[in-house]
Amino acid sequence: MGFLHLFASHVVFLFLSSSLVFLHGAAADQEEALRTYIVQLHPLGSTGGGDATSSDHDWHLAFLIKSVPSSAEQDDKRQWKPSSRLLYSYHTVFDGFAARLSVGEAAALRALQGVASVREDRRVELHTTYSYRFLGLNVCPTGAWARARYGRGVVVGVLDTGVWPESPSFDDRGMPPVPDRWRGVCETGERFNATNCNRKLVGARFYSKGHRANYPTDPSDAAARTREYASPRDAHGHGTHTASTAAGAAVAGASVLGAGAGEARGVAPGAHVAAYKVCWFNGCFSSDILAGMDDAVRDGVDVLSLSLGGFPIPLFEDSIAIGSFRATVRGVSVVSAAGNNGPEPSSVANEAPWMLTVGAATLDRRFPAYVRLGNGRVLYGESMYPGKVDLKNGGKALELFYAAGGSREAMYCMKGSLSAADVAGKMVVCDRGITGRADKGQAVKEAGGAVMVLANSEINRQEDSVDVHVLPATLVGYQEAVELKKYISSTPRPVARIAFGGTRIGRARAPAVALFSARGPSVTSPSVLKPDVIAPGVNIIAAWPGSVGPSGLDGDARRSNFTVLSGTSMACPHVSGIAALVRSAHPSWSPAMVRSAIMTTADVTDRQGKPITDGDSGERADAFAMGAGHVNPALAVDPGLVYDIEPADYVTHLCTLGYTQREVFKITHSAVNCSELLHANPGFTLNYPSIAVAFKDGGGETSTVLRRTVTNVGAPNSTYTARVGAPVGVKVTVAPTTLAFAEFGEKKSFQVRVDASAAAGKDSAEGYLVWKQRSAGQGRRRTVRSPIAVTWPVE
């Protein structure tokens, strides 16, 4: 599952499977005492920590020399060379460096004057032919694409597993010249050189020092060498997939081995792409990510797309949050995946309020693959196996096998767990979980099985992420799995046949929040609602490397220019593409204005006009699942009003969270006195497009007042009227209730009072505030919507 997180999918296990970790014993022993640390420094020369006239690199080396005891030189002269210990010098989104140190050396470094923090490197995981049409994007002369010039002039930087430059999605025919301001490079390396870049793919770099320091590879291991490229070239597919989703070129006749056929386009097909390879088979390390962000901002990207992250941690310990703050200050819109740890509450990652955090939603496209049981019952399933449509006589009836009462490994169809005597020529039922979905199909095929039925567990419910399996296969929901297993256990010789129904569009309710999509409320910043929005993230078809089979498995010899993936990793680049469209239409807008436009125009109803549901539950999705709603690019390029935020406001917001001066400095690189700042800004609330109120435990609070300011980015002489849908048991009043703008760019402020004195016994409630334009002449009356979420401590 994308975000490359711990949600069962073949992509995840490309990174996490222990069979793909190659450690050279001697190298591991030599480096046993050393770990990678990220060192943050006070600004050069401000504390006497270094010579202000020296280069950053020399300055950083000076700290290493001071922190390593002289005995280290006697123990191992090779290890002691400062240049061999220094991995990265950061200049743009972070002041400091990454280095290999022992625990004692890290402690000594931490005590030096001029050092703000020393923290160990952290590994994080990586969190179409139709989705752009589902979003309402088309070639209409008055549509969003035309108004936003298809994203022309904007550079989208993608931090991921690299890029496959030969993909037709990165063809530059019809692309404008590379912007004059662009300072990026096409870094040469293994099977990658400067000619691989063009007017579409304008830059490519790779960062492996943090990864190699943690996973040194045996140089004699040919298999390990062939699994990765020491260059920006993508050996996995995840980065190619996300980059093409955000800004891929139009590709006619795209499909996955014939399935899901159509014209593939990125959300911003006119935008340029820059690839920063920071993730490898064993994950993504903060030291590499920071180096990629550092270069991307300096290169001149307009949008950073981050389909990676971990679990919620304090912002001052989160390298992605820290690096993205400086990127935001420099005018870069940072879009990130919310993570795949849903539906657990407070599982959302990438919570920083300066980032645009994206959850995943479904499309109304389905790939039916039915299981017809011997008793005549037909169970619905889904698959991208390129079979023919034939429900009545589809496929040959095969004997069913399920390892009920057998080993746990066999029930989950783990590699080597199935006996050929049991499964040869049969339709094998495999429980979902533990190993990747596609891996199970490979295990069945290796044991001689003819067909696989992948059975959802109770935790998976009816979730339907499909794969391009190596044998005929289908995925059935939990309800169907229960019926299937009951039939097998009650029948002397159970049989079934499978029939593939091709691609069906428009027959299912959508969008709905994906089951795996991470949920709020935010742990680190409860006064900011996260995720911000949801976007297509289930069964997304996009570009794929030519060296990897569409299943992502080593043994898959098939080749396809496209494949299907699911995850918030896939949702994130959709919004990155929308951000590129908004930036292209409004190049002077700040990242906060871009985010506001996307959030306040989001949909809260599905294509049938009914409330967006939470997965297949049928229940209305709440704000902690979908944020402001499902993105609508056609409206986002013309929002009417926006909520802007100055970088200094984020600093004040951090002070309201109770962060210390030292903790605020770690994030913002700014020395502040929170007491003075809060005294100068009494009652401060962040000017966020959504409204989140978190009443604190034991505080006795029942009401609060929030202040907001909107900027008119629509027509002059516009008037907006407030309409409130108050949360149940909560009174919400807005003053004033009318905002009249005489000019473009004019700002107006208002207050929102939230009174929850009558909401005893609740833990959360939600509503909304809408500013509705009274009249727009012949144009659209704009609606600017903000969700309202109120939480109380759980007793």
Side-chain angles (χ1 to χ4, degrees):
M1 178 86 41
F3 188 78
L4 260 66
H5 219 295
L6 303 178
F7 202 80
S9 162
H10 62 272
V11 181
V12 170
F13 288 88
L14 283 175
F15 285 85
L16 301 183
S17 172
S18 60
S19 64
L20 295 174
V21 178
F22 301 96
L23 295 178
H24 181 206
D29 291 341
Q30 183 185 42
E31 298 288 337
E32 183 179 4
L34 300 183
R35 305 176 184 179
T36 302
Y37 289 86
I38 297 173
V39 182
Q40 184 176 16
L41 303 175
H42 289 283
L44 181 62
S46 66
T47 61
D51 180 1
T53 63
S54 65
S55 69
D56 284 344
H57 184 268
D58 292 341
W59 183 43
H60 298 160
L61 287 177
F63 277 97
L64 284 179
I65 294 171
K66 292 178 183 178
S67 64
V68 179
S70 58
S71 58
E73 183 177 3
Q74 299 173 0
D75 292 340
D76 192 332
K77 293 182 181 294
R78 290 174 301 169
Q79 281 194 3
W80 166 227
K81 291 180 180 178
S83 59
S84 70
R85 295 285 199 95
L86 184 66
L87 301 182
Y88 295 109
S89 285
Y90 306 118
H91 316 280
T92 307
V93 301
F94 190 80
D95 289 330
F97 58 93
R100 298 285 287 171
L101 302 166
S102 69
V103 173
E105 291 165 354
L109 184 59
R110 194 176 285 115
L112 290 178
Q113 185 181 15
V115 175
S117 70
V118 179
R119 59 181 178 275
E120 193 168 349
D121 201 2
R122 174 171 169 256
R123 191 184 80 167
V124 300
E125 305 301 336
L126 288 164
H127 272 331
T128 87
T129 55
Y130 175 68
S131 58
Y132 70 89
R133 289 165 50 200
F134 184 75
L135 290 172
L137 293 168
N138 54 57
V139 294
C140 171
T142 59
W145 265 348
R147 283 182 287 165
R149 304 183 305 133
Y150 292 83
R152 288 174 179 262
V154 174
V155 180
V156 179
V158 181
L159 270 68
D160 213 295
T161 64
V163 67
W164 190 263
E166 294 83 5
S167 167
S169 291
F170 304 115
D171 191 295
D172 69 348
R173 281 176 290 184
M175 285 293 296
V178 179
D180 291 337
R181 60 182 172 79
W182 178 246
R183 298 182 297 278
V185 300
C186 199
E187 188 174 359
T188 60
E190 185 179 357
R191 292 194 59 192
F192 205 98
N193 57 51
T195 62
N196 289 124
C197 290
N198 55 26
R199 290 175 312 214
K200 166 59 77 173
L201 181 63
V202 297
R205 299 178 186 261
F206 70 104
Y207 308 85
S208 60
K209 294 177 182 178
H211 176 266
R212 289 171 183 258
N214 286 278
Y215 291 100
T217 305
D218 185 346
S220 67
D221 192 333
R225 293 199 306 273
T226 59
R227 283 186 171 91
E228 281 288 10
Y229 300 106
S231 73
R233 184 170 291 278
D234 186 6
H236 306 267
H238 193 272
T240 299
H241 198 280
T242 56
S244 67
T245 300
V251 182
S255 71
V256 184
L257 303 179
E263 182 177 64
R265 287 179 185 248
V267 175
H272 307 281
V273 174
Y276 299 85
K277 183 176 178 178
V278 299
C279 297
W280 306 79
F281 272 113
N282 296 308
C284 327
F285 285 86
S286 295
S287 53
D288 295 329
I289 295 169
L290 270 177
M293 295 178 76
D294 211 52
D295 279 341
V297 174
R298 193 163 53 249
D299 288 345
V301 301
D302 301 289
V303 178
L304 266 179
S305 189
L306 305 174
S307 290
L308 46 84
F311 293 91
I313 59 174
L315 298 179
F316 55 83
E317 295 291 344
D318 187 345
S319 295
I320 295 175
I322 294 169
S324 64
F325 178 84
R326 288 279 280 271
T328 301
V329 170
R330 290 173 176 256
V332 178
S333 292
V334 182
V335 184
S336 60
N340 299 333
N341 291 316
E344 288 298 312
S346 296
S347 55
V348 63
N350 293 321
E351 306 166 275
W354 43 88
M355 302 171 77
L356 207 173
T357 309
V358 186
T362 62
L363 297 170
D364 63 354
R365 177 177 59 189
R366 296 290 184 268
F367 305 97
Y370 307 91
V371 180
R372 185 176 187 128
L373 304 180
N375 62 7
R377 290 282 295 167
V378 177
L379 306 181
Y380 180 79
E382 294 210 29
S383 174
M384 285 205 73
Y385 180 78
K388 295 182 179 180
V389 180
D390 186 2
L391 176 58
K392 185 176 181 181
N393 299 305
K396 178 182 177 182
L398 299 175
E399 184 175 352
L400 283 160
F401 173 81
Y402 175 60
S407 71
R408 184 168 181 262
E409 290 80 4
M411 293 171 67
Y412 284 98
C413 297
M414 298 175 70
K415 185 177 178 65
S417 66
L418 299 172
S419 166
D422 292 330
V423 306
K426 297 180 182 179
M427 184 179 296
V428 182
V429 178
C430 301
D431 285 338
R432 185 170 167 181
I434 302 181
T435 60
R437 298 186 301 264
D439 294 271
K440 297 175 187 295
Q442 182 69 33
V444 171
K445 183 178 181 180
E446 289 175 352
V451 177
M452 178 182 70
V453 178
L454 189 56
N456 273 1
S457 64
E458 186 173 8
I459 194 173
N460 302 124
R461 303 184 203 172
Q462 301 300 110
E463 196 272 326
D464 56 0
S465 298
V466 300
D467 301 277
V468 190
H469 290 286
V470 294
L471 81 172
T474 187
L475 168 69
V476 298
Y478 176 63
Q479 295 174 6
E480 289 78 8
V482 170
E483 182 175 349
L484 173 62
K485 292 174 184 178
K486 183 177 180 181
Y487 166 70
I488 293 173
S489 64
S490 63
T491 307
R493 187 178 180 276
V495 296
R497 63 183 65 190
I498 189 169
F500 300 95
T503 303
R504 307 287 176 86
I505 292 176
R507 299 189 182 184
R509 281 188 64 180
V513 179
L515 176 68
F516 57 79
S517 188
R519 316 299 166 97
S522 169
V523 172
T524 62
S525 187
S527 59
V528 173
L529 180 63
K530 291 286 182 175
D532 292 307
V533 290
I534 55 174
V538 178
N539 298 336
I540 303 302
I541 296 174
W544 196 243
S547 64
V548 184
S551 68
L553 298 174
D554 286 344
D556 188 355
R558 301 170 299 174
R559 291 296 179 262
S560 172
N561 284 329
F562 297 87
T563 199
V564 62
L565 295 178
S566 296
T568 55
S569 275
M570 284 63 252
C572 171
H574 280 90
V575 180
S576 300
I578 296 173
L581 294 178
V582 177
R583 288 291 292 260
S584 182
H586 309 282
S588 65
W589 281 12
S590 70
M593 296 170 76
V594 173
R595 178 181 57 217
S596 175
I598 293 171
M599 291 177 63
T600 60
T601 58
D603 294 327
V604 293
T605 55
D606 62 21
R607 293 297 181 267
Q608 298 180 13
K610 300 176 182 179
I612 292 175
T613 60
D614 194 341
D616 56 15
S617 66
E619 298 179 358
R620 182 195 298 257
D622 63 24
F624 301 117
M626 68 175 184
H630 190 274
V631 291
N632 186 330
L635 301 182
V637 297
D638 183 20
L641 304 176
V642 293
Y643 295 81
D644 197 8
I645 301 175
E646 294 293 331
D649 294 335
Y650 292 121
V651 179
T652 307
H653 171 73
L654 294 173
C655 289
T656 68
L657 298 178
Y659 283 3
T660 66
Q661 180 175 333
R662 182 179 179 85
E663 290 166 346
V664 172
F665 178 85
K666 289 181 182 181
I667 300 168
T668 67
H669 304 260
S670 300
V672 299
N673 185 312
C674 279
S675 297
E676 293 180 358
L677 200 56
L678 294 177
H679 180 74
N681 296 274
F684 174 86
T685 53
L686 192 65
N687 196 41
Y688 214 72
S690 57
I691 298 172
V693 178
F695 290 115
K696 298 178 180 179
D697 190 12
E701 293 178 297
T702 58
S703 66
T704 189
V705 176
L706 303 95
R707 296 169 179 81
R708 293 289 192 270
T709 299
V710 288
T711 303
N712 179 32
V713 293
N717 301 314
S718 299
T719 301
Y720 290 80
T721 302
R723 180 163 56 90
V724 175
V728 176
V730 178
K731 183 179 179 181
V732 178
T733 55
V734 177
T737 58
T738 299
L739 300 176
F741 299 90
E743 299 177 355
F744 176 85
E746 186 177 356
K747 297 178 182 292
K748 293 285 184 180
S749 298
F750 60 92
Q751 290 187 345
V752 180
R753 182 178 180 85
V754 179
D755 186 344
S757 57
K762 292 180 174 291
D763 57 11
S764 67
E766 64 175 282
Y768 61 85
L769 165 64
V770 169
W771 289 102
K772 183 73 174 180
Q773 190 175 13
R774 283 187 180 176
S775 175
Q778 299 298 317
R780 172 179 61 88
R781 291 177 62 193
R782 296 162 184 81
T783 298
V784 184
R785 186 183 188 278
S786 297
I788 301 174
V790 183
T791 57
W792 294 266
V794 179
E795 297 181 357

